[in-house]
Amino acid sequence: MNAQKRNSPTRAVVLGGGGVTGIAWEAGVLAGLLESGVDLHRADVIIGTSAGAFVGAALASGYDMNKLFTAQSETNTAEIPVAASKELMQAWYKAFAMGGSDPRKVGAEFGLIAKNNPSPVSPEQRRAVVESRLVTRKWPANLKVTAIDADTGQLHTFDHQSGVSLLDAVSASGAVPGIWPLVSIGDRFWTDGGMVSTTNSRLAEGYERIVILSPMPNGYGSIPGAAEDAASLRTSANVYLITPDERSVVAIGPNPYDAARRSVTAIAGRAQGRSIAEAVLTMW
């Protein structure tokens, strides 16, 4: 058994950010894959960023993806309608311009945005949202969750050995600057891990088979998009990048924080998952 495990290819699943519709789409894709016999939860590592942190916690814990899919069509009274204002979007684009191609500088700029543009949502309200989305409180051993240090801009990963609760880590990973409040952990403040990369795929470097789900695949400023991130991984890795197809793009709509689009987005994601299942299974 041990010899077989050592000889098996190492596998990673990367789940990118994309708001509440990103959660729904990823849940749908994973449910569609599972229906066709593709179960990704036994990957050696599952790396979750923002929306992907929520889905990653479910996947890594062995939670039934069909249940997570079904939940997207159920009313969640804890969800709060939010959207990025024109002014906030302009501040984001300025952060990308100021930081250039240096992810740490970009992260620090977004830390400043989070500090200078307090969220209208209180930390207590946000915590209730996170608790309503999170299907487990126990850290899966193969899960890593990304967040950005709001002061230094450094991308950080939390895991079961970090001494941080899963609830706090996922809250930090999804703390979109100006949308959701900063998250305090210890003596540091944290913001959304997806602001320097929507997937942070480079964290999967070294694994031999990698599946990437990216609800928001486009790059911003000098920050590369999901395809460029995937292409930068070592050439010997077998990488399968999944981004929203045409039907899923329409379902997601213009506002990734629109909870009213969860159901239609999950349905589109499940159909997409079914359509690519054979190809994913072949490489996985």
Side-chain angles (χ1 to χ4, degrees):
M1 177 69 73
N2 290 335
Q4 289 179 345
K5 185 174 182 179
R6 284 196 300 271
N7 292 331
S8 298
T10 54
R11 295 174 170 87
V13 175
V14 178
L15 300 168
V20 69
T21 56
I23 294 174
W25 178 77
E26 290 179 350
V29 171
L30 292 170
L33 290 173
L34 185 61
E35 287 180 23
S36 302
V38 185
D39 187 352
L40 303 181
H41 93 276
R42 296 188 183 278
D44 297 283
V45 67
I46 295 172
I47 301 166
T49 291
S50 198
F54 290 95
V55 180
L59 181 64
S61 69
Y63 190 77
D64 186 348
M65 289 298 106
N66 291 310
K67 288 184 178 180
L68 190 62
F69 166 79
T70 300
Q72 306 311 307
S73 296
E74 297 171 350
T75 300
N76 182 352
T77 57
E79 289 289 351
I80 302 171
V82 293
S85 66
K86 182 179 179 180
E87 292 74 20
L88 182 59
M89 290 291 292
Q90 289 174 340
W92 288 355
Y93 286 124
K94 183 178 179 181
F96 289 122
M98 293 287 289
S101 59
D102 187 334
R104 187 163 182 166
K105 289 182 179 179
V106 173
E109 290 295 327
F110 274 106
L112 287 173
I113 290 174
K115 296 172 190 175
N116 296 332
N117 297 270
S119 168
V121 178
S122 72
E124 293 74 22
Q125 289 174 308
R126 172 58 176 167
R127 192 172 184 85
V129 173
V130 174
E131 288 178 334
S132 73
R133 295 178 182 173
L134 203 56
V135 301
T136 181
R137 301 295 185 272
K138 183 179 179 181
W139 265 107
N142 60 340
L143 176 66
K144 293 183 181 296
V145 171
T146 70
I148 295 171
D149 186 309
D151 294 311
T152 69
Q154 182 68 48
L155 182 71
H156 181 80
T157 58
F158 294 105
D159 60 25
H160 71 289
Q161 296 180 320
S162 297
V164 173
S165 74
L166 181 61
L167 180 64
D168 284 342
V170 172
S171 294
S173 187
V176 183
I179 297 289
W180 303 116
L182 283 167
V183 174
S184 173
I185 300 177
D187 61 349
R188 313 300 299 175
F189 285 95
W190 302 89
T191 191
D192 195 300
M195 307 315 291
V196 297
S197 167
T198 59
T199 61
N200 292 303
S201 297
R202 63 189 179 277
L203 296 176
E205 183 67 55
Y207 290 88
E208 295 165 291
R209 297 183 182 178
I210 305 167
V211 173
I212 304 169
L213 274 71
S214 180
M216 298 178 68
N218 296 330
Y220 299 95
S222 298
I223 299 299
E228 190 175 347
D229 266 355
S232 71
L233 296 167
R234 66 177 186 170
T235 56
S236 59
N238 196 340
V239 181
Y240 197 103
L241 172 63
I242 307 170
T243 61
D245 59 13
E246 185 176 353
R247 179 182 176 186
S248 293
V249 168
V250 172
I252 290 169
N255 178 14
Y257 312 109
D258 185 357
R261 303 197 68 83
R262 291 164 59 233
S263 179
V264 66
T265 299
I267 292 170
R270 183 174 63 176
Q272 185 175 354
R274 289 169 175 163
S275 73
I276 61 174
E278 184 175 350
V280 176
L281 182 60
T282 298
M283 70 79 65
W284 188 249

